[in-house]
Amino acid sequence: MAARASAMKAAGIDVIDLSVGEPDFPTPDHICRAAEEAIAAGFTKYTPAPGIPALREAVAADATRRTGREVKPSQVVVSNGAKHALHNVFTAVLEPGDEVVVPTPYWVSYAELIKLTGARPVLLETRLEDDFKLRAETLAAAITPATRMLLLCSPSNPTGVVYSAEELGVLADIAVDRDLAVVSDEIYDQLVFDGRQAASFASLRPGLAERTVVVAGVSKTYSMTGWRIGWTISPEPLAKAIAGLQSQETSNPCSISQHAAIAALQGPQECVATMRDAFQARRDLVAARLAAMPGIRLPNIGGAFYAFFEILPHLGRSYGGKQVATSVEWCEALLEAEQVATVAGAAFGAEGHVRMSFAASEEKLAEGLDRIERFLSSPSS
Ligand code: PLP
C-alpha cells in the first residue's frame, strides 16, 4: 500500500498515506551531528561484528537504568536494525520442526523470518474484547512437545496495545512451567502513553532473563529507521552464538550509524519525550474519531503509533459498484475512492481489521479521518 500510495503521489494525486511504520519526525540534530563527527574522525572501517564496545556498553547501561536489571555489554549484539536482530535470534535458536507461538495480530515479518529457519509459526488468535492480549489458557492449549519459543510484542505493532507487568507475568508462568524460550520485541518500549512505562519481560522477576531475548533498537524511539541499528539482549552464550552468526552473514552494522546510536542513547532525551507527547496527542484524536464512526471498534491504544480497527460490519457492502468482502478489498476501495492508504488486517493475520498509522501530522490525520468517515457513510451502490 505504501508503494501504491507513493506512486499515486508521484502522479500528482492528493494521497493521505497512513500505511507507514516509521515516525514522521526528522532524526534529532545532535544524532546527525554525531554521525558527521564520526566520519570526520575516520570511523569508516569495519568494527567488531557485535558492535563497537562503546555502543554495547551504552545499550547495556540504558537497559540497566530503565529496567533495574543488570545487563552486561557482553549480552548485547548490535545488528542492522531490529528486524535483523530477530532474524539472528531465530536462526541461532530454532531447528527445523520447532514451533514458535505467535499471538495474532502479529507484525508481518515474524512468520516469514521463523519459516526461513524451517521452524513453524503457530498463530494464536486473540480477541478485540481482550485488547488483543494473549490469554493464558490459549497459550497453554497451544503448547506441544515441539514448542520451542513464545514471541511477544509490547507495545504492539499493529495494535498499539501494551501489556501490563501482571499480564506478562501470567504468560511468564507458563513459559517457565513449559520451558519455553521467549523473544520479547520491545522496539516501541519508549513510546508508551499516559505516563505509563512498558514492562520489560526479562526484568519482570528473577529467573526470566535466562530464557528471554529482548529485541530493541533506535529506529522508532529516535526516529532512526534508515540508520539500521537494532540489538538483542540475551544470555551471554546466545549472544556469542549470534555474534558468530552475524560475523559470517553481514559483519558489523554500519560504523557511522553505531556512533550516531551512542549519541542517541547518551545524549539529551527530550527529543524522545517530545515525539511521545506528539504521538499521544494524535492517539487521542485518532482513537476518539474512529470510535465514534458507525460500526468501528478498536482496542485501547497504550503505545506505538498505530490504530487497529475492526471493519466487520462494513464488509459485504458495495463501494463504487464493487462488493467489498475482505480487508484487502476494503483498503483498496478506500484508496481508490478517498485516496487514503491504510494496511489490511489480513497482512497481520487478522481479517476484518485495518491498521492506520498515526505517524502523520494532526492536520493530515484529521483530513484522513474525514475521508474515512465519508467513505464509511457513502451509500451502498
Ligand atoms: N519489530 C516491530 C514490531 C516493528 O514494527 C519493526 C518495524 O516496523 C521492527 C521490529 C523492525 O525494526 P527495524 O527498523 O529496527 O529493523
Side-chain angles (χ1 to χ4, degrees):
M1 286 303 267
R4 275 180 64 178
S6 297
M8 286 170 76
K9 267 190 231 162
I13 299 168
D14 168 29
V15 178
I16 307 251
D17 187 0
L18 307 179
S19 69
V20 290
E22 61 182 353
D24 53 318
F25 303 101
T27 303
D29 273 349
H30 68 280
I31 300 174
C32 296
R33 274 202 310 278
E36 289 164 10
E37 284 159 18
I39 296 172
F43 292 119
T44 53
K45 302 288 174 69
Y46 291 132
T47 77
I52 51 181
L55 178 53
R56 296 173 80 193
E57 277 160 28
V59 171
D62 179 65
T64 302
R65 182 179 54 76
R66 290 195 298 108
T67 65
R69 160 175 80 104
E70 200 206 332
V71 172
K72 297 197 203 105
S74 54
Q75 293 176 263
V76 177
V77 177
V78 182
S79 303
N80 301 282
K83 186 184 278 190
H84 183 214
L86 284 160
H87 168 74
N88 281 345
V89 185
F90 296 148
T91 307
V93 173
L94 298 173
E95 303 280 349
D98 283 348
E99 292 177 0
V100 181
V101 173
V102 182
T104 61
Y106 62 93
W107 180 53
V108 285
S109 292
Y110 295 147
E112 303 311 316
L113 290 174
I114 291 165
K115 282 191 241 165
L116 277 177
T117 70
R120 189 168 79 85
V122 176
L123 306 178
L124 296 191
E125 263 186 49
T126 59
R127 298 166 204 212
L128 176 53
E129 292 72 20
D130 296 337
D131 269 348
F132 294 117
K133 288 171 186 165
L134 181 61
R135 287 186 176 191
E137 62 266 29
T138 310
L139 171 60
I143 296 171
T144 72
T147 310
R148 183 92 178 86
M149 184 183 278
L150 165 65
L151 182 54
L152 292 172
C153 178
S154 173
S156 157
N157 177 6
T159 64
V161 159
V162 183
Y163 283 76
S164 68
E166 292 71 32
E167 288 160 344
L168 289 176
V170 175
L171 302 178
D173 290 342
I174 299 174
V176 171
D177 190 42
R178 309 298 293 269
D179 196 21
L180 304 182
V182 177
V183 171
S184 183
D185 183 345
E186 300 177 10
I187 186 87
Y188 296 96
D189 65 349
Q190 296 216 55
L191 295 178
V192 178
F193 309 138
D194 309 316
R196 298 208 175 88
Q197 294 209 326
S200 180
F201 192 90
S203 315
L204 290 175
R205 59 176 191 241
L208 288 179
E210 288 77 355
R211 63 179 66 249
T212 306
V213 182
V214 173
V215 174
V218 292
S219 297
K220 317 288 177 171
T221 308
Y222 301 98
S223 198
M224 292 177 70
T225 46
W227 299 73
R228 309 311 301 136
I229 295 290
W231 52 77
T232 47
I233 299 174
S234 71
E236 239 172 79
L238 182 55
K240 278 205 182 106
I242 290 174
L245 172 72
Q246 178 163 295
S247 80
Q248 299 303 341
E249 285 195 329
T250 60
S251 300
N252 57 276
C254 169
S255 58
I256 300 151
S257 296
Q258 290 189 62
H259 283 276
I262 295 173
L265 291 169
Q266 294 183 338
Q269 299 298 303
E270 288 79 23
C271 54
V272 179
T274 304
M275 289 191 264
R276 183 173 46 231
D277 290 349
F279 283 129
Q280 180 172 320
R282 295 168 184 183
R283 183 277 315 261
D284 292 345
L285 166 78
V286 168
R289 287 279 314 267
L290 282 174
M293 292 185 197
I296 297 293
R297 295 195 308 155
L298 71 164
N300 290 303
I301 306 167
F305 39 76
Y306 307 104
F308 197 71
F309 55 96
E310 187 191 62
I311 51 158
L312 275 179
H314 296 279
L315 295 182
R317 285 184 53 196
S318 290
Y319 297 88
K322 245 198 262 161
Q323 208 193 19
V324 166
T326 65
S327 56
V328 171
E329 288 171 3
W330 191 90
C331 290
E332 281 171 355
L334 175 66
L335 184 62
E336 203 168 296
E338 293 289 351
Q339 294 79 50
V340 177
T342 52
V343 185
F348 308 100
E351 183 47 276
H353 296 79
V354 169
R355 188 192 80 173
M356 72 167 266
S357 158
F358 44 87
S361 67
E362 287 195 28
E363 200 186 4
K364 276 222 172 78
L365 288 169
E367 170 66 20
L369 288 159
D370 287 346
R371 293 188 192 185
I372 291 174
E373 196 163 29
R374 194 163 59 206
F375 179 67
L376 287 172
S377 57
S378 60
S380 260
S381 53

